[in-house]
Amino acid sequence: MTFLIGKNAVGVRDRRFLQAAFIMIVCADACFKIFHNFVIPFEENTGEFISFGIIFFLLAQLLLVFRHTRVSEEDRSFPWILFFPLAVAISMAVLYLFGIYDSIMFFASISYGPFLFCSLYAAWKASSTGFYPKRNARQIKLGMIFFTICDLLTGIALITGPDHSTREIIAVISNNLIWCLYTPALLLLALSGYRHDD
């Protein structure tokens, strides 16, 4: 859908940001659902592809923040709200390089959180920038709300995991709820790239 927007886009750069974000999302989902489950034998799987998937999602949120904070098609300013998540990511990278911790997943997870919530904030404020038509802004806001809930459920599923107890039930419920929200999240974000003059 994002690659079929064409001349119906809100703007050329808006379309490119959205398409680039969706490429990152496809890469992330490939890491989560294909490479993690089928490339490495289950008994040898230590979660490397999950970590890479989180990093791809981080890049997607970074691109969406750039997209949703713009006030015009010509706006090339750096979003101030990215300073905090970038500071967290750089700090985590430094700690990793100095051997304070040795888990890529820990680095990816802690770094991703601030990007996700900054992206939610940017989506929430998209209607006040004056760049997006009202319907587009609503789609952005609702899409990112669903996306955020999906990521929180994904985190719960990863933390609980299968151990044949109440925690496994929570993981199963979380995993199933993710797909009830993830599809509309992606659809709404994709549709927000099509100009709705209202």
Side-chain angles (χ1 to χ4, degrees):
M1 287 177 66
T2 59
F3 281 91
L4 293 173
I5 294 173
K7 294 181 180 179
N8 298 314
V10 175
V12 175
R13 294 187 71 236
D14 183 78
R15 183 185 67 209
R16 289 174 181 166
F17 273 121
L18 186 62
Q19 290 170 342
F22 267 76
I23 289 171
M24 294 298 105
I25 290 169
V26 169
C27 291
D29 282 333
C31 288
F32 267 87
K33 291 299 175 186
I34 298 174
F35 299 133
H36 174 70
N37 292 323
F38 300 110
V39 172
I40 301 177
F42 182 78
E43 62 275 7
E44 299 175 17
N45 199 323
T46 56
E48 289 92 345
F49 283 115
I50 293 291
S51 302
F52 288 129
I54 295 170
I55 292 170
F56 277 121
F57 272 127
L58 184 153
L59 294 173
Q61 298 302 342
L62 176 70
L63 289 163
L64 290 174
V65 170
F66 270 97
R67 179 192 182 222
H68 299 153
T69 54
R70 295 164 65 240
V71 297
S72 70
E73 180 61 11
E74 295 75 30
D75 185 3
R76 297 176 184 272
S77 60
F78 186 86
W80 63 268
I81 61 170
L82 282 176
F83 284 113
F84 174 68
L86 285 171
V88 171
I90 292 168
S91 300
M92 294 302 297
V94 170
L95 292 174
Y96 177 78
L97 291 173
F98 279 95
I100 305 301
Y101 64 92
D102 59 359
S103 169
I104 294 291
M105 187 179 293
F106 181 73
F107 160 74
S109 301
I110 298 299
S111 299
Y112 179 65
F115 280 95
L116 174 64
F117 288 107
C118 281
S119 185
L120 177 62
Y121 176 81
W124 193 270
K125 301 290 287 183
S127 59
S128 64
T129 65
F131 177 58
Y132 292 101
K134 290 181 180 179
R135 186 174 172 188
N136 292 82
R138 286 196 299 270
Q139 289 171 334
I140 289 168
K141 182 189 293 187
L142 194 56
M144 272 309 303
I145 289 172
F146 286 158
F147 206 122
T148 303
I149 296 171
C150 286
D151 281 341
L152 292 174
L153 290 170
T154 301
I156 291 170
L158 288 172
I159 291 169
T160 51
D163 64 356
H164 307 289
S165 66
T166 306
R167 291 174 59 193
E168 183 180 10
I169 296 170
I170 294 171
V172 170
I173 293 171
S174 298
N175 268 317
N176 284 289
L177 284 175
I178 288 167
W179 301 108
C180 294
L181 298 172
Y182 191 50
T183 300
L186 296 184
L187 281 172
L188 285 164
L189 288 173
L191 288 170
S192 73
Y194 292 79
R195 175 174 288 279
H196 303 289
D197 294 316
D198 53 7

